[in-house]
Structure formats: C-alpha cells, structure tokens
Amino acid sequence: MTEPNYPRGGKFLTLVAVMDTLRSPGGCPWDAQQTHRSLAEYLIEECYETVEAIETDDDAGMLEELGDLLLQIVFHARIAQDNPDRPWDIDDVAEGITDKLVRRHPHVFADTKADDAEAVVRNWTRLKAEEKGRTSALDGIPSGLPALSWAQKTLRRARESGLRMKQTSASAEAPTFEGLGEQLLGIVAAAEAHGLDAEAALRHSVRGLYRAVRDAEQ
C-alpha cells in the first residue's frame, strides 16, 4: 500500500504547542485547572454552534466554530497527557482515527470492492460491528441523544440491518423537507397546548421501538 502524502497540518502543530504552553507551569491558571468533566459543557456547546453555522450557510461562522471545536479536542488530549495512570496525547488521538479510517476503507486501502456509497456504508457497519464485538444493530447508539436524533438513528440502524419494523408514520405520503418541519412543529405545538413534554413523549416511544428491534433480532 502506498502511503499518501498530505502536506497540510503545520498550523495544527502550532495550536498543539500553544495549548501545551497554556497547560504548562507558568501558563494560564484557568486552563491548568480544567478537567474532562469541566469542559464537557463547552464541547456540547461548540458542537451545536458548529451545526448552527452549517444550517445557516454561515461559511465564516463555520470556519470559526470548527476552530473552537478543534480547540476542545486538543484541550482534552492535553489534559489526558497529564494523567498519571494512563497518559495519552493528541498523537494517540490522530493515530487512532487514522488507523480506523484506513481499516474501514478497505475499498481504498485494500482489495475490497465497493461500487457505490451504499456498499461503503454496509462495509463500514460490518467492520465496526466486528471490531467492537457488537451483537445488535443498536449497540453503540447513545441513549443520551436528543429524542429525534435517537429515534432516527434507531430506525436507520434497524433498516440497515434488514429488520422490518411496523410502520409508525401517520401519513403514507413522502414529506418534503419544509413540510416535515411544519408537521413536527405542529406536533410540538399540540404537546405544548396540552401541557405535554414532546421530548419525553418521543423518548418513551423510542424506548418501545428499541425493545421491538431487540426482540426482532432474536
């Protein structure tokens, strides 16, 4: 296999060096006292701000927010570097994801064939399940996702694994992007009018779907 030559990345090393200075003796007191837990809220916030920039086609904003998100990754890696029991650093993070990308793209870096994007997804899903020893299509889906994301990911995993689940949609017509948004907003408005928690209600239903998928796998 021929290793690709990627020349970019010098500025990233500068960021790593700056973060190292901030966390080292004589650096910033605030940065020095942060932990993985104390930074968790900022990681979530930066993710949402990045998504907002993408959804609003704010190109300059996306550039800035990706930088903020990258800072969180470098920050967490620098904190881990100080772990007295099992230290790791940004190189370990980069090595891990690089190895994963090569391993999960055998159609690029090995002899496996994938003629279209669907074949790539099937290969990725199969390799991921083998690597992690997963026995269910739902393994690895975090239940802490927002309800809509949790529902859609659960349904997608069930579909990709070939399971036939009962249709729960109230309409057989294919919705448009805007129409679907209006329908969802209408459901939330109805929930609010009746004093119901739309998020909690959907999470309750997804738990039922989760059990149904597990039963179907058996």
Side-chain angles (χ1 to χ4, degrees):
M1 179 180 69
T2 302
E3 292 293 334
N5 180 26
Y6 297 127
R8 297 184 183 274
K11 298 297 184 181
F12 176 73
L13 296 179
T14 302
L15 171 62
V16 173
V18 169
M19 189 71 251
D20 185 61
T21 299
L22 293 173
R23 282 280 298 186
S24 297
C28 174
W30 186 88
D31 290 280
Q33 71 179 16
Q34 297 312 303
T35 67
H36 293 306
R37 288 183 180 273
S38 71
L39 290 178
E41 63 174 294
Y42 302 109
L43 179 58
I44 294 172
E45 181 180 333
E46 299 302 348
C47 286
Y48 278 115
E49 289 182 354
T50 301
V51 171
E52 181 181 7
I54 293 172
E55 291 179 341
T56 57
D57 296 318
D58 183 358
D59 189 65
M62 186 167 66
L63 173 62
E64 179 182 357
E65 298 304 338
L66 284 173
D68 291 341
L69 189 55
L70 181 59
L71 169 61
Q72 292 301 309
I73 296 169
V74 172
F75 208 153
H76 280 280
R78 182 59 182 81
I79 290 172
Q81 187 177 321
D82 294 330
N83 188 319
D85 299 320
R86 187 180 177 274
W88 47 266
D89 60 18
I90 194 65
D91 282 337
D92 296 305
V93 174
E95 181 180 31
I97 190 59
T98 300
D99 290 347
K100 181 185 292 186
L101 284 174
V102 172
R103 198 167 57 244
R104 302 232 184 122
H105 288 80
H107 54 288
V108 177
F109 299 103
D111 299 328
T112 301
K113 291 189 176 182
D115 297 327
D116 53 33
E118 290 185 1
V120 172
V121 171
R122 286 196 300 271
N123 283 339
W124 180 283
T125 302
R126 176 182 58 80
L127 290 168
K128 186 174 183 178
E130 291 174 357
E131 290 170 12
K132 296 183 176 294
R134 292 175 174 171
T135 58
S136 169
L138 303 183
D139 287 347
I141 300 178
S143 60
L145 284 172
L148 274 175
S149 297
W150 190 25
Q152 189 153 8
K153 195 146 188 101
T154 300
L155 288 168
R156 182 183 302 135
R157 287 281 190 90
R159 174 178 54 80
E160 290 175 350
S161 65
L163 296 175
R164 293 182 178 273
M165 307 307 298
K166 183 177 71 172
Q167 178 60 262
T168 58
S169 174
S171 173
E173 298 180 3
T176 63
F177 182 83
E178 292 79 7
L180 178 60
E182 289 299 320
Q183 289 179 32
L184 291 171
L185 185 58
I187 292 172
V188 174
E192 178 64 20
H194 290 83
L196 298 173
D197 186 330
E199 174 82 7
L202 180 56
R203 294 187 71 81
H204 175 78
S205 294
V206 176
R207 290 189 186 94
L209 171 64
Y210 198 92
R211 289 191 294 271
V213 172
R214 292 283 193 175
D215 290 342
E217 288 179 323
Q218 299 303 316

